[in-house]
Amino acid sequence: MADHTVDARGLQCPMPVIKLSQAIMTAQPGETVELISTDRGSCSDVPAWAADMGHALEEQFEIDNEFHFVLVRS
Amino acid sequence: MTSPVVDLAVETKDEEASPRKEKMVLIASSGDLDKAWPVLILATTGAAYGMEVTVFFTFWGLGILKRRDAGITGDDWRQKMLSMFNRGTTEHLKLSKLNFGGMGPKMMKDLADKHKVASVQELLEVAQEMGVKLWPCQMTMDLMGLSREDLIDGLDAPAGAGSAISLMKQAEISLFI
């Protein structure tokens, strides 16, 4: 269970990354943040954003057309 | 309100204390829906990357920042006519193609609602929340007879090409839309 969860289901680009960026600022370094998105674009957007921002993308998986991303706040 | 040029000078001094934020500049010169939308999507996403984002609204793009209750604006008859034919605000933007006399934008917005794509208005609000700077073009304001009171709140001081170029020289990303 991640320390923080961002439910961006039903939201389209750019909102999943926007919400994630806002949420990750409230997390402490080392805490995990999970984003749940139904926007297929997130599959490329989130890894790109995480890599650029220096947050490790620990897990990425899909359940029932919902995309999950677990990041560690750097 | 301080002028943008003065702000840039102050920023340089602050950069010595903390790591410099990357800058992104978007020149919003089109008042079309299909241009306003990507401008704001890119602006908010740039902000999500921790960049300092500025959108410079010029010419038709300035219409996006009109207040919904501005009514007919301008002093001379040409400016008033312009305000009638170019209603602007985030509500009355036309499509650059397939406008179908206004049906096009309506259908596009219906599709956006159906697919939960954030509207231009929502994106503008999110942009302001995220600290994206919105610069209205002073020259366009003068040309089209748009005063500060005809535009929405939360804007930076009106600026010109000189400020825009100065900012673009420092920015990692500059786009003309």
Side-chain angles (χ1 to χ4, degrees), chain B residues 148-161:
Chain B
R148 192 58 196 82
E149 291 68 41
D150 297 322
L151 304 176
I152 59 172
D153 293 332
L155 303 180
D156 272 50

Side-chain angles (χ1 to χ4, degrees), chain A residues 10 12 14 18 21 48-49 52-53, chain B residues 44-45 48-49 115-116 123 130:
Chain A
Q12 279 271 26
I18 303 285
S21 72
W49 178 85
D52 189 276
M53 300 295 281
Chain B
T44 49
T45 307
Y49 270 78
H115 293 274
K116 302 277 179 28
L123 288 167
M130 294 178 86

Side-chain angles (χ1 to χ4, degrees), chain A residues 39-74:
Chain A
D39 171 20
R40 195 162 280 278
S42 301
C43 295
S44 62
D45 289 351
V46 175
W49 178 85
D52 189 276
M53 300 295 281
H55 304 301
L57 180 59
E58 266 194 348
E59 289 179 76
Q60 182 176 348
F61 54 92
E62 180 185 340
I63 303 174
D64 285 334
N65 283 319
E66 290 181 358
F67 308 100
H68 295 250
F69 306 87
V70 183
L71 296 93
V72 180
R73 159 112 205 230
S74 70

Side-chain angles (χ1 to χ4, degrees), chain B residues 112-167:
Chain B
D113 283 343
K114 187 177 169 198
H115 293 274
K116 302 277 179 28
V117 176
S119 68
V120 171
Q121 178 61 27
E122 285 173 299
L123 288 167
L124 188 55
E125 287 168 15
V126 170
Q128 288 186 301
E129 275 168 29
M130 294 178 86
V132 170
K133 298 182 201 181
L134 307 174
W135 285 6
C137 171
Q138 181 68 66
M139 188 274 278
T140 306
M141 288 171 73
D142 295 342
L143 191 69
M144 298 193 180
L146 287 166
S147 70
R148 192 58 196 82
E149 291 68 41
D150 297 322
L151 304 176
I152 59 172
D153 293 332
L155 303 180
D156 272 50
S163 308
I165 297 284
S166 173
L167 191 53

Side-chain angles (χ1 to χ4, degrees), chain B:
Chain B
M1 281 186 285
T2 53
S3 81
V5 175
V6 172
D7 282 343
L8 291 170
V10 168
E11 263 169 35
T12 319
K13 201 171 155 208
D14 285 341
E15 279 159 24
E16 290 161 13
S18 58
R20 181 190 169 276
K21 272 183 152 189
E22 291 178 317
K23 294 186 194 237
M24 176 178 186
V25 184
L26 294 153
I27 311 231
S29 80
S30 165
D32 292 336
L33 177 60
D34 50 291
K35 302 291 190 331
W37 232 326
V39 163
L40 292 167
I41 290 172
L42 290 166
T44 49
T45 307
Y49 270 78
M51 298 179 83
E52 200 176 283
V53 183
T54 304
V55 185
F56 182 55
F57 292 85
T58 187
F59 223 91
W60 299 123
L62 185 62
I64 301 166
L65 300 180
K66 269 170 73 172
R67 297 179 67 96
R68 291 192 177 186
D69 56 4
I72 296 179
T73 55
D75 300 312
D76 88 7
W77 65 273
R78 280 164 295 218
Q79 291 172 336
K80 290 185 195 197
M81 244 181 81
L82 199 49
S83 80
M84 288 195 288
F85 286 105
N86 180 47
R87 291 170 75 188
T89 77
T90 53
E91 223 181 325
H92 300 290
L93 304 171
K94 75 167 193 35
L95 283 177
S96 67
K97 59 185 228 177
L98 306 182
N99 194 50
F100 296 137
M103 281 306 298
K106 174 80 178 63
M107 288 192 274
M108 196 59 83
K109 285 180 210 176
D110 288 345
L111 275 174
D113 283 343
K114 187 177 169 198
H115 293 274
K116 302 277 179 28
V117 176
S119 68
V120 171
Q121 178 61 27
E122 285 173 299
L123 288 167
L124 188 55
E125 287 168 15
V126 170
Q128 288 186 301
E129 275 168 29
M130 294 178 86
V132 170
K133 298 182 201 181
L134 307 174
W135 285 6
C137 171
Q138 181 68 66
M139 188 274 278
T140 306
M141 288 171 73
D142 295 342
L143 191 69
M144 298 193 180
L146 287 166
S147 70
R148 192 58 196 82
E149 291 68 41
D150 297 322
L151 304 176
I152 59 172
D153 293 332
L155 303 180
D156 272 50
S163 308
I165 297 284
S166 173
L167 191 53
M168 286 192 280
K169 277 162 73 72
Q170 302 170 42
E172 277 77 4
I173 303 179
S174 294
L175 295 169
F176 184 93
I177 301 178

